[in-house]
Amino acid sequence: MIVDVHAHTPTHRDAVPDDERRVYTGWRTDRPVTTTNSWADYDEAMAAADVSIVFNIAVDDPEAATGLPYRPEDTNTSTAAFVAADPARRIGFMSVDPTRADAVEQAEHCRDLGLVGVKLGPNYQDFDPLSPRATAFYGYCQREGLPIVFHQGASPIRHAPLRYTYPLVTDEIALAFPELRIVMAHMGHPWGKETVVTIRKHPHVYADVSSIYLRPWVCYESLLAAVEWGATHKLLLGSDFPIANTGEAMAGLRRVNAITEGTALPRIPDEVVEQIIHADALGALGLSLKETP
């Protein structure tokens, strides 16, 4: 089974009107990224995945903070509706501001909607991931078995603080909450080595490879670090839709050794690449698909 653990909820149920279309030219070096997508666009883009984990990020102004123009009040309800339309292939994660006094109450409501994990972007949401209210929320997630995907590393959004996404911050969280299942998104790009040494030491901390294949050296260097530190089994497939799609992610990983041609650089074993593509992400995160009638 191919599980894509990192995709953003499409912004529109139906076709996107021309006047609502949003395109960014600086998010990839090879082509523009369209951040407004319909449910059908998503299905086409993610066709290579058997299952995908999908989410939004809870912020006051989603377009300014993330580039995706969804209404803030629809952050979780739109994800829940999208997942409910195809529960055999989609798993929904919620997003809340963990520093709010009603964060747990919001999370409970999201669980009632069928959302089974959490996506947090401390840089986009502008909260200190080691603050008391944030860590109290992690404790709730640990008790309730809710895995958390943390945005980790760089972002094209200017106002998003990098200090909140440095991978060693996650080490502090995992030390305090050893049973909390965590995914460090993007292998913490460009801090792949820091991410690898973190996932290596914590049994329930993983990293996804979303977007790293868009930068060949970052991809090669990060995967090589995972090989050298014996942490390749902690890597999960991710695309970062709408920035990329599952097929692109798989193809990008399979091209990782192109950069070594004509050099004495060590190759990433082919079996490691396939292991990532076919990783048991649902088992790692304690998740399962909902049964359909």
Side-chain angles (χ1 to χ4, degrees), residues 115-149:
L115 304 180
V116 296
V118 179
K119 170 61 189 278
L120 296 177
N123 56 333
Y124 301 120
Q125 296 176 286
D126 197 22
F127 72 86
D128 181 347
L130 297 177
S131 64
R133 281 194 171 180
T135 55
F137 184 74
Y138 309 152
Y140 160 77
C141 292
Q142 177 175 254
R143 292 190 302 273
E144 299 300 321
L146 298 173
I148 302 178
V149 175

Side-chain angles (χ1 to χ4, degrees), residues 44-287:
E44 180 180 357
M46 307 296 280
D50 297 305
V51 178
S52 58
I53 294 176
V54 60
F55 40 69
N56 278 318
I57 301 176
V59 289
D60 292 335
D61 186 346
E63 185 168 5
T66 71
L68 279 71
Y70 50 89
R71 300 193 313 164
E73 60 267 33
D74 295 338
T75 296
N76 295 307
T77 54
S78 62
T79 300
F82 181 59
V83 169
D86 192 357
R89 299 194 64 205
R90 302 169 188 159
I91 293 175
F93 277 22
M94 71 186 79
S95 187
V96 302
D97 178 349
T99 68
R100 287 183 47 149
D102 65 345
V104 169
E105 181 181 344
Q106 287 190 25
E108 287 293 302
H109 175 65
C110 290
R111 294 177 71 187
D112 291 339
L113 295 175
L115 304 180
V116 296
V118 179
K119 170 61 189 278
L120 296 177
N123 56 333
Y124 301 120
Q125 296 176 286
D126 197 22
F127 72 86
D128 181 347
L130 297 177
S131 64
R133 281 194 171 180
T135 55
F137 184 74
Y138 309 152
Y140 160 77
C141 292
Q142 177 175 254
R143 292 190 302 273
E144 299 300 321
L146 298 173
I148 302 178
V149 175
F150 282 97
H151 176 87
Q152 212 88 77
S155 164
I157 305 299
R158 182 185 181 189
H159 68 260
L162 289 170
R163 70 184 184 278
Y164 290 163
T165 67
Y166 190 62
L168 298 188
V169 172
T170 305
D171 178 50
E172 297 293 319
I173 296 170
L175 287 169
F177 303 98
E179 299 303 316
L180 177 63
R181 296 175 191 261
I182 293 172
V183 177
M184 302 174 70
H186 317 301
M187 281 192 80
H189 61 179
W191 300 305
K193 292 188 289 290
E194 289 87 341
T195 297
V196 165
V197 297
T198 301
I199 62 175
R200 172 179 179 254
K201 66 188 291 246
H202 294 291
H204 298 306
V205 180
Y206 300 83
D208 75 41
V209 299
S210 58
S211 286
I212 67 167
Y213 37 79
L214 300 178
R215 297 169 178 84
W217 181 255
V218 170
C219 183
Y220 172 76
E221 182 183 42
S222 299
L223 295 189
L224 182 62
V227 171
E228 292 183 338
W229 287 91
T232 58
H233 63 293
K234 305 298 290 296
L235 301 180
L236 308 176
L237 181 67
S239 64
D240 203 13
F241 175 86
I243 293 178
N245 61 55
T246 310
E248 285 182 297
M250 294 162 59
L253 291 173
R254 288 170 173 153
R255 288 194 305 268
V256 65
N257 288 309
I259 203 168
T260 69
E261 293 178 6
T263 77
L265 290 169
R267 289 175 58 86
I268 308 300
D270 291 342
E271 58 268 26
V272 165
V273 171
E274 296 306 313
Q275 173 185 289
I276 296 168
I277 290 172
H278 297 278
D280 179 16
L282 301 187
L285 300 180
L287 300 174

